[in-house]
Amino acid sequence: MSSAHEPEKKSENSTMQSMDRGMHMLELLAEQPMRAKELAEATGAKWATAHRTLTYLRDKGFVRRDDTTGLHYVGRRMFAIGSAYLGDHPLFTTSEPLMRTAADRINGFVQIAERDGHSSVAIASVEPRIPVPTLSYANTYRAYPLHTGARGLVLLAYCPDEFIDTYAQEPLRSFTEYTITEPAELRDKLKQIVADGYATSDRDVTTATCGIAAPIRNAAGEVTASVSIANYREQMPPRDLVLHEVLGLAQSLSQLMGWRNR
């Protein structure tokens, strides 16, 4: 006999599936603009289902569409929600003066990033006072896979071994010919990062840029974020100077979070 609650459960499951699909689309759009067909393929949804979900997200202001290109972007309403996360974030509210000083000394982009699943997401960014063409402010806030960029590599290096094993078994997306895509090479890189206490990246996100990042710890000594300095390779100061700045900034920010290196 069928249960009287079965229709209710089916309706609830359908609602949850729709929510999950919509959230997945928003996560994909946070990484890069996409067309409706691409979103449907990436989420495994039928075209009609994907179109219905996108229409809802656009109508509610979570997604916007460029009618000329057909590309979908994160909308203003998602920005408002995301901004609320930073409102009381201790790193976001206290780090700006320290980041500004470092950016002025090095004339580079200074970022604080956190791990969100398999991606690194910048929660704070300070630009150099001298403009750097094409390294746009918007791009610094994009989510990037953890195996790319110094900021992500630091976060990945201090993850539990089980997480790293799972991550390394999945296809490692390549941005340039210098992006690490071999699991064994990635594991060696992560071990070296932990041994050194910092990460370097060179041309793995774009062939024109490089960066150095170090971990930020909380009061318990856990790595909860990373701080990085990045710039064009030809505009980057000597490596030792940048490394000294990054390590000092990481220590200061960790101390603001309650960490004490005893």
Side-chain angles (χ1 to χ4, degrees):
M1 294 180 60
S2 62
S3 169
H5 297 291
E6 282 186 3
E8 181 179 343
K9 288 182 178 179
K10 288 181 179 179
S11 177
E12 181 179 344
N13 290 338
S14 177
T15 300
M16 294 303 295
Q17 289 174 358
S18 297
M19 290 179 62
D20 185 64
R21 185 184 307 110
M23 294 303 294
H24 191 190
M25 287 184 174
L26 290 171
E27 289 174 344
L28 291 169
L29 291 176
E31 295 184 5
Q32 62 181 12
M34 299 178 74
R35 293 179 173 82
K37 181 180 179 182
E38 296 169 335
L39 283 166
E41 292 174 351
T43 57
K46 296 180 179 178
W47 166 248
T49 303
H51 182 268
R52 185 167 59 250
T53 302
L54 275 174
T55 299
Y56 175 85
L57 292 173
R58 286 200 305 268
D59 290 345
K60 296 299 182 180
F62 293 110
V63 167
R64 61 184 176 87
R65 182 181 184 272
D66 186 327
D67 292 334
T68 302
T69 64
L71 289 171
H72 291 78
Y73 300 80
V74 170
R76 278 192 294 255
R77 199 166 182 184
M78 275 306 301
F79 174 77
I81 293 173
S83 298
Y85 170 72
L86 299 176
D88 297 316
H89 196 297
L91 274 175
F92 183 79
T93 56
T94 61
S95 63
E96 201 278 338
L98 292 171
M99 296 173 67
R100 179 75 268 164
T101 298
D104 289 345
R105 287 175 179 162
I106 301 299
N107 189 40
F109 281 87
V110 181
Q111 295 181 4
I112 293 176
E114 292 183 335
R115 180 172 72 86
D116 181 21
H118 286 201
S119 301
S120 70
V121 180
I123 64 167
S125 182
V126 172
E127 294 184 81
R129 295 189 190 275
I130 301 175
V132 181
T134 75
L135 283 183
S136 72
Y137 191 71
N139 282 342
T140 67
Y141 281 94
R142 282 184 59 189
Y144 286 96
L146 289 171
H147 67 283
T148 61
R151 76 184 197 189
L153 287 166
V154 163
L155 295 172
L156 182 57
Y158 289 92
C159 282
D161 291 340
E162 299 79 15
F163 180 91
I164 294 175
D165 288 341
T166 300
Y167 187 97
Q169 290 172 4
E170 298 181 359
L172 299 177
R173 179 182 173 187
S174 176
F175 287 81
T176 75
E177 61 181 304
Y178 301 98
T179 306
I180 297 176
T181 57
E182 294 297 327
E185 183 183 356
L186 178 61
R187 288 190 176 94
D188 288 342
K189 176 80 170 179
L190 298 179
K191 290 177 182 177
Q192 190 62 51
I193 290 170
V194 174
D196 294 339
Y198 63 89
T200 61
S201 65
D202 186 16
R203 297 173 289 179
D204 64 331
V205 178
T206 73
T207 56
T209 57
C210 61
I212 301 178
I216 300 174
R217 300 178 183 273
N218 62 14
E222 301 165 332
V223 174
T224 58
S226 68
V227 60
S228 62
I229 295 179
N231 208 329
Y232 280 122
R233 299 177 76 238
E234 62 269 21
Q235 296 184 20
M236 199 71 145
R239 180 181 180 278
D240 289 347
L241 182 62
V242 179
L243 178 58
H244 176 77
E245 196 69 40
V246 169
L247 292 176
L249 186 54
Q251 181 172 340
S252 297
L253 292 171
S254 296
Q255 289 172 346
L256 285 175
M257 296 295 290
W259 175 74
R260 297 294 180 266
N261 186 17
R262 297 185 179 90

